[in-house]
Amino acid sequence: KRPNPIQSVLESTGAGAQGLDQLTEFFCYWIPSIPNFANIDAALVIRDRKQGSVAVWCLQYTVSEEHSFNSRTFLIKFLRPLLKNFRLCQVTVKILFVVPGDVYSNFKLPQEVADSGYEGTAQFADCSSVEAVQGLFERLEFINKPVTFFDDPPTAQRARQ
């Protein structure tokens, strides 16, 4: 079972760059092949065909009140290769720090996230089960407008057919 909007899950293999080369599909929850990969623990690339836009959600799971973020490493080791894999020139990058409830109120977003121009936020998430993780994805803005995840609802005319 996968939370919406995830259509597939890929636990990559090989070295860091080799693992990233395996991320080639939109709506795929990607897990790096190495545990200390360029500032993130997972990524999800979402395309909105109607808007003609792409958002890259980067998830960092932590139990700490602070977490470092190296924008240069992120750019060189993750973002540039990702853009090349997907043949994209421009994306919106959103860095999401997922923290336990007792850490959330004291969590400090790394200043370098904002300084780099990336959107950064922290969310509390109960990650004890897939059903609980579903709640995290339901609270994120990509579940709502403007991103459309699956085919748009049928028009009234199509619905009657």
Side-chain angles (χ1 to χ4, degrees):
K1 183 175 178 182
R2 293 180 301 272
N4 188 23
I6 297 170
Q7 295 179 354
S8 63
V9 175
L10 173 63
E11 197 166 344
S12 60
T13 58
Q18 293 168 325
L20 183 56
D21 285 343
Q22 296 163 22
L23 175 57
T24 58
E25 296 177 17
F26 293 102
F27 306 103
C28 174
Y29 183 88
W30 175 78
I31 303 165
S33 56
I34 57 175
N36 59 346
F37 185 80
N39 301 287
I40 62 171
D41 292 323
L44 182 62
V45 183
I46 298 178
R47 174 180 53 192
D48 180 341
R49 290 178 189 249
K50 286 183 181 180
Q51 301 269 335
S53 63
V54 174
V56 179
W57 283 84
C58 301
L59 292 89
Q60 175 63 58
Y61 298 93
T62 184
V63 295
S64 301
E65 291 181 1
E66 295 183 15
H67 197 284
S68 63
F69 183 86
N70 183 313
S71 61
R72 180 171 165 73
T73 301
F74 177 79
L75 178 65
I76 293 169
K77 301 280 186 175
F78 176 74
L79 191 56
R80 282 184 185 159
L82 179 92
L83 293 172
K84 183 179 176 188
N85 288 355
F86 281 86
R87 296 185 178 130
L88 297 169
C89 297
Q90 185 177 7
V91 296
T92 300
V93 176
K94 301 185 181 214
I95 311 292
L96 175 67
F97 291 87
V98 181
V99 297
D102 61 335
V103 172
Y104 177 72
S105 61
N106 295 321
F107 184 78
K108 297 174 182 77
L109 281 174
Q111 185 61 43
E112 193 161 351
V113 171
D115 291 348
S116 301
Y118 304 129
E119 293 181 31
T121 188
Q123 288 276 335
F124 157 69
D126 172 6
C127 295
S128 60
S129 68
V130 170
E131 289 77 19
V133 172
Q134 174 76 32
L136 167 69
F137 287 99
E138 288 171 350
R139 289 194 312 270
L140 297 177
E141 69 183 65
F142 63 63
I143 296 300
N144 300 320
K145 297 276 181 186
V147 176
T148 304
F149 296 100
F150 302 102
D151 291 335
D152 58 332
T155 62
Q157 183 179 9
R158 281 191 359 220
R160 286 191 297 260
Q161 293 177 344

